[in-house]
Amino acid sequence: MLLKTVISQVELSYVDTNKLTDLEKNKQYCYETLAKVSRSFAMVIKQLPDDAKEAIGVFYLVLRGLDTIEDDPNLSLENKHQLLNEFCDNLGDYNWKLENVGDKPEYVDLMRQFYRVNHVFASLEPEYRAVIAEKCRLMADGMIDYSSKEINTREEFDEYCYYVAGVVGEGLTGIFYSSGYEAFQSNDLSISMGLFLQKTNIIRDYLEDIESDRVFWPREVWSKYAQKLEDFKLLSNETQSIACVNDLITETLRHIPNCITYLETLKNKSVLRFCAIPQLMALGTLVKLYNNPKVFMSVVKLNKIISMQIVAGSDSIQSIKDWYLSFLKDLEKKLTASDPNYSQTLAAIENCKVALK
Ligand code: MG
């Protein structure tokens, strides 16, 4: 009896080792792919403790999978809807993959080997899987909803950004909670964290997006400054184009007080760094975008040295708040009284400063 037990344990551990080998290979694939599909995220994820790192890495790749389908210009609307649904329905399936989907080689590869991500997903704790699966479905539904709908109002802009980024803030907060690193469930503040990052990207990516024929700026805002979205590229429209960017930036600044409160609530230093670094980089980018005609000619990026300084200098909530204040002061210096939203921008900066106190 005893021998039998020993043998079955040996057999079990043999099977487990085999499984682990496959799983380890697939984990390795996930980390390598993370580095390829997002250099900045692969960098900040290093800040996290091991167990949360794995769940969040998988979460990122799942969302990247959805975004790859959403952004593929060669898919018909119908096909896109079908694939977004199929993607969610097969989350965790070791055999599921998609051929020839994605507009960059690294995205095509991710979809072609998605069964590997699914394998790692299936190995996660049930609480993590539940959060990831729920947010994946929510984001897919939002993408389907907005794939055939224009973003007209500021409310719709918020709603679209909620689906593609606010949901990420909620999911990350859910994972921090499940891991025991943080004690609070997702809330409005989690959503603001996602919205701030997403809106910054949407403002920055005007040129890239207009070349792919899909700009996410809300019509309610941009139509004050031009007849057509393409007109923002015209040199003759420069004053209006810059005013529009500044308007969108002002609208994005209103999320900052919530983001500061969210960061203040975090207890775990690694989680704090993971959350704060992208926020500060986005704010730095936003300051660079303000009053900047280059938005319409190239991709405006934050200086690499400043990025490295942010990574090195975001060790405590106080140093993070110092960065916020420093960027806000830089922004204030860039304001011009002739800008149509000058007083609103000034008031938004003031609100951020109050939140920092
Ligand atoms: Mg997308």
Side-chain angles (χ1 to χ4, degrees):
M1 184 67 182
L2 185 67
L3 186 66
K4 237 182 165 178
T5 314
V6 171
I7 290 173
S8 69
Q9 275 176 357
V10 170
E11 278 171 356
L12 266 178
S13 70
Y14 175 71
V15 173
D16 277 357
T17 314
N18 248 350
K19 267 190 185 167
L20 198 71
T21 310
D22 266 356
L23 186 58
E24 285 304 326
K25 276 187 205 157
N26 292 338
K27 281 182 186 176
Q28 203 181 344
Y29 173 80
C30 287
Y31 282 119
E32 283 166 8
T33 305
L34 269 178
K36 282 182 207 156
V37 297
S38 165
R39 253 180 284 149
S40 53
F41 184 81
M43 192 267 298
V44 288
I45 198 177
K46 285 187 195 149
Q47 314 299 324
L48 288 171
D50 273 348
D51 44 347
K53 197 189 287 180
E54 209 164 278
I56 288 173
V58 169
F59 187 35
Y60 184 91
L61 292 175
V62 166
L63 304 180
R64 172 58 61 200
L66 285 176
D67 198 42
T68 299
I69 300 171
E70 189 201 23
D71 291 349
D72 189 326
N74 298 317
L75 294 173
S76 69
L77 216 54
E78 201 184 14
N79 209 352
K80 215 172 259 193
H81 293 183
Q82 185 214 325
L83 291 181
L84 285 167
N85 282 320
E86 198 186 300
F87 183 92
C88 299
D89 293 342
N90 289 283
L91 205 59
D93 185 323
Y94 292 14
N95 297 309
W96 192 83
K97 60 180 178 174
L98 276 182
E99 299 284 353
N100 301 319
V101 172
D103 59 359
K104 286 182 185 169
E106 58 270 34
Y107 296 165
V108 175
D109 183 73
L110 170 67
M111 302 318 281
R112 199 171 55 79
Q113 305 204 56
F114 208 83
Y115 57 91
R116 291 179 181 273
V117 182
N118 276 342
H119 188 186
V120 183
F121 169 83
S123 77
L124 296 174
E125 295 293 330
E127 304 83 54
Y128 293 146
R129 271 185 280 144
V131 172
I132 297 171
E134 187 204 330
K135 300 308 169 189
C136 176
R137 174 51 72 186
L138 200 53
M139 189 183 284
D141 288 347
M143 283 173 168
I144 291 170
D145 193 18
Y146 272 91
S147 62
S148 51
K149 193 159 104 180
E150 208 192 332
I151 300 169
N152 283 310
T153 62
R154 289 179 193 265
E155 287 74 26
E156 285 167 349
F157 188 42
D158 273 0
E159 190 183 58
Y160 174 74
C161 291
Y162 167 71
Y163 283 128
V164 297
V167 163
V168 185
E170 288 183 326
L172 289 172
T173 308
I175 292 174
F176 301 145
Y177 178 78
S178 300
S179 67
Y181 289 112
E182 297 298 339
F184 64 97
Q185 299 268 24
S186 64
N187 51 31
D188 283 353
L189 305 179
S190 328
I191 299 172
S192 297
M193 294 285 283
L195 260 56
F196 183 74
L197 300 184
Q198 186 67 22
K199 289 184 178 179
T200 303
N201 289 346
I202 285 178
I203 301 169
R204 182 199 59 196
D205 292 341
Y206 165 85
L207 196 63
E208 204 180 285
D209 288 344
I210 196 119
E211 277 162 11
S212 323
D213 220 13
R214 26 130 239 195
V215 171
F216 301 93
W217 290 10
R219 180 183 283 274
E220 183 185 330
V221 177
W222 69 256
S223 61
K224 290 192 280 175
Y225 306 98
Q227 297 279 324
K228 301 192 301 295
L229 272 164
E230 292 76 19
D231 293 351
F232 289 108
K233 282 194 283 187
L234 303 173
L235 224 59
S236 56
N237 197 56
E238 193 179 274
T239 311
Q240 291 291 86
S241 302
I242 289 174
C244 184
V245 166
N246 294 350
D247 191 335
L248 290 166
I249 290 173
T250 305
E251 124 89 32
T252 306
L253 290 174
R254 81 182 157 86
H255 298 295
I256 290 182
N258 271 358
C259 297
I260 292 168
T261 310
Y262 182 91
L263 294 172
E264 280 176 331
T265 315
L266 297 172
K267 300 267 180 277
N268 182 284
K269 197 175 159 184
S270 311
V271 173
L272 174 65
R273 280 174 59 74
F274 172 82
C275 295
I277 292 169
Q279 294 293 326
L280 290 173
M281 287 189 178
L283 178 56
T285 305
L286 219 51
V287 174
K288 215 169 161 182
L289 293 168
Y290 191 87
N291 244 346
N292 191 345
K294 287 192 185 132
V295 177
F296 307 100
M297 300 166 212
S298 59
V299 184
V300 176
K301 280 188 178 164
L302 192 64
N303 179 300
K304 264 197 182 143
I305 296 171
I306 296 181
S307 304
M308 283 161 66
Q309 285 171 339
I310 290 173
V311 174
S314 305
D315 258 348
S316 65
I317 188 68
Q318 195 48 57
S319 57
I320 291 161
K321 284 182 170 182
D322 291 345
W323 271 108
Y324 267 104
L325 191 60
S326 150
F327 280 133
L328 290 167
K329 282 181 180 167
D330 290 346
L331 179 59
E332 211 171 337
K333 279 183 217 149
K334 290 182 89 177
L335 303 193
T336 48
S338 58
D339 184 88
N341 293 288
Y342 171 76
S343 54
Q344 285 95 321
T345 315
L346 204 58
I349 294 174
E350 214 37 60
N351 282 337
C352 298
K353 284 186 182 169
V354 170
L356 283 171
K357 279 177 188 151

